[in-house]
Amino acid sequence: MTKHGALGVAVIGTGRMGADHVRRIDAVTSGARVAAVVDIDAERVKAVAEGIDGCTPYTDPAAAMAAPDVDAVLIASPGPAHEAALLEAFRHDLPVLCEKPLTPDAASALRVLEAEQRLGHRRVQVGFMRRYDPEFVRLKALLAGGELGRPLMLHCRHRNASVPSFFTEPMLINDSVVHEMDQSRWLLEQEITAVTVLRPRPTAHAPEGIGDPQLVLFETDGGALVDVEIFATCGFGYQVQAEAVCERGTARVGDAHGMLVNRAGTWGGEIAQDFVARFEEAYDRQVQAWVDATRRGTVEGPSAWDGYAAAAVCEAGVRAQATGERVAVELIDRPALYR
Ligand code: ISE
């Protein structure tokens, strides 16, 4: 632990999420400080570091992780860079909060899982932030309490106002529906065994090459069914909703967020425009929980196993999307470290 006992965090990647996490650790999170920032863009990283007391800019993640004032690592670089950063963090035995995806495919996620097992203890928390959203936390507690009986189905909606220019069709699965994969595994405490993707006639507003929206179906090893509407170019805002249908009732989250106003013959509220705004509190709680657990010397939250399982479901999902077929998910047996 660095001066005043604050956890010195190296934030790797200063893009949208990385920059938001730098701001968060600097201004919101207690018990931590941004000791280092890393980005291949030397100018950008220098500018980010300049705004923060005692923060050193680096262009090489390995150099930041070797610095004496770095106690922990937050990885927010693009997915393909995660594996190398995770393995480097393991070399220094540093605790890691890794933004989703853990890695972009199941084979690389498996290599990370094996490397963490060689360490002999968990080091990674994966950034599936919905597990920290107050509404989802209440839904989880309700389902786990058993009052509604067994969950039979989940109906999910995941809508983005628009997508960035680099977005591709597989990203509907790998980047967006990956959240519902983790959410379903977490809420149901079941593994996803097969994925099917169905397509309606696409919206005229989708970019070239992206069939949007899509309906993604999961089957689980507990006999539940999950349907996910992914609509990445809905135009009106960012919405994430989930309804659990159980033996003795249903429960739904994500409908209204914030204030409802009556005004000039209308009734209603506002819709967040992006995930940074909608899940701000979840991100805050997620990072605080990671810092608190790290300072206690423990690792909690979504594990590398959860990251691997989501990657395996994503692989099946992308194949289902490309072929129109039902694709079975291939998972290894859960290693002892993650039971
Ligand atoms: C984005 O990458 C995210 O992680 C958001 O949470 C998700 O809602 C969005 O669809 C993704 O593109």
Side-chain angles (χ1 to χ4, degrees):
M1 228 70 74
T2 48
K3 61 176 182 239
H4 314 309
L7 188 79
V9 179
V11 178
I12 303 184
T14 59
R16 186 162 189 211
M17 278 320 300
D20 196 45
H21 285 315
V22 167
R23 176 202 57 79
R24 172 170 294 108
I25 295 171
D26 191 43
V28 181
T29 313
S30 59
R33 68 178 201 95
V34 186
V37 281
V38 186
D39 203 291
I40 45 171
D41 183 335
E43 287 306 306
R44 186 215 293 255
V45 77
K46 200 164 150 264
V48 174
E50 261 164 20
I52 298 163
D53 212 21
C55 174
T56 311
Y58 296 86
T59 51
D60 174 17
M65 289 190 224
D69 60 346
V70 168
D71 308 305
V73 184
L74 193 161
I75 301 176
S77 46
H82 288 187
E83 181 182 1
L86 284 158
L87 297 181
E88 187 62 27
F90 292 165
R91 262 191 283 283
H92 296 274
D93 204 11
L94 290 171
V96 185
L97 174 59
C98 182
E99 265 298 337
K100 52 70 53 175
L102 178 67
T103 65
D105 56 66
S108 51
L110 198 51
R111 290 195 291 273
V112 169
L113 211 60
E114 283 161 357
E116 191 176 41
Q117 288 174 83
R118 281 195 295 277
L119 277 183
H121 46 251
R122 278 189 55 192
R123 269 307 188 207
V124 182
Q125 175 180 327
V126 181
F128 287 123
M129 79 297 185
R130 288 191 194 174
R131 295 193 189 201
Y132 297 88
D133 175 72
E135 285 187 86
F136 276 95
V137 167
R138 285 182 67 193
L139 178 58
K140 168 75 179 167
L142 182 67
L143 297 183
E147 184 192 329
L148 298 187
R150 234 169 6 106
L152 310 171
M153 291 190 286
L154 292 178
H155 302 303
C156 310
R157 297 195 189 96
H158 186 157
R159 296 175 179 145
N160 292 261
S162 61
V163 289
S165 56
F166 54 81
F167 210 82
T168 60
E169 187 165 278
M171 288 173 79
L172 291 174
I173 302 289
N174 287 332
D175 211 54
S176 301
V177 179
V178 65
H179 284 290
E180 277 75 18
M181 292 169 184
D182 182 67
Q183 171 189 309
S184 306
R185 296 180 58 254
W186 173 64
L187 288 174
L188 299 170
E189 297 179 12
Q190 296 170 22
E191 292 297 353
I192 297 169
T193 52
V195 186
T196 307
V197 178
L198 301 172
R199 299 155 182 269
R201 180 175 170 184
T203 166
H205 304 296
E208 180 81 23
I210 302 185
D212 188 47
Q214 296 183 1
L215 188 69
V216 185
L217 300 174
F218 307 147
E219 296 164 50
T220 74
D221 60 2
L225 282 181
V226 180
D227 58 87
V228 184
E229 172 202 308
I230 173 67
F231 192 1
T233 57
C234 78
F236 58 78
Y238 181 76
Q239 269 185 340
V240 166
Q241 299 169 337
E243 180 178 38
V245 178
C246 307
E247 288 168 308
R248 289 192 292 277
T250 70
R252 175 170 162 146
V253 293
D255 284 305
H257 202 66
M259 181 160 72
L260 288 177
V261 180
N262 298 309
R263 165 167 59 202
T266 64
W267 168 89
E270 289 175 351
I271 304 175
Q273 288 301 299
D274 63 25
F275 47 90
V276 172
R278 162 64 181 90
F279 284 113
E280 182 179 1
E281 196 173 346
Y283 286 119
D284 288 351
R285 286 172 181 236
Q286 167 190 257
V287 172
Q288 190 64 64
W290 174 64
V291 167
D292 292 347
T294 302
R295 286 167 58 97
R296 284 195 303 271
T298 61
V299 181
E300 294 165 8
S303 67
W305 168 259
D306 296 310
Y308 159 74
V313 182
C314 278
E315 250 181 53
V318 169
R319 261 184 40 226
Q321 186 186 51
T323 61
E325 286 168 9
R326 170 187 180 276
V327 178
V329 176
E330 287 173 29
L331 271 192
I332 62 160
D333 288 338
R334 192 191 279 243
L337 186 60
Y338 307 104
R339 279 185 207 136

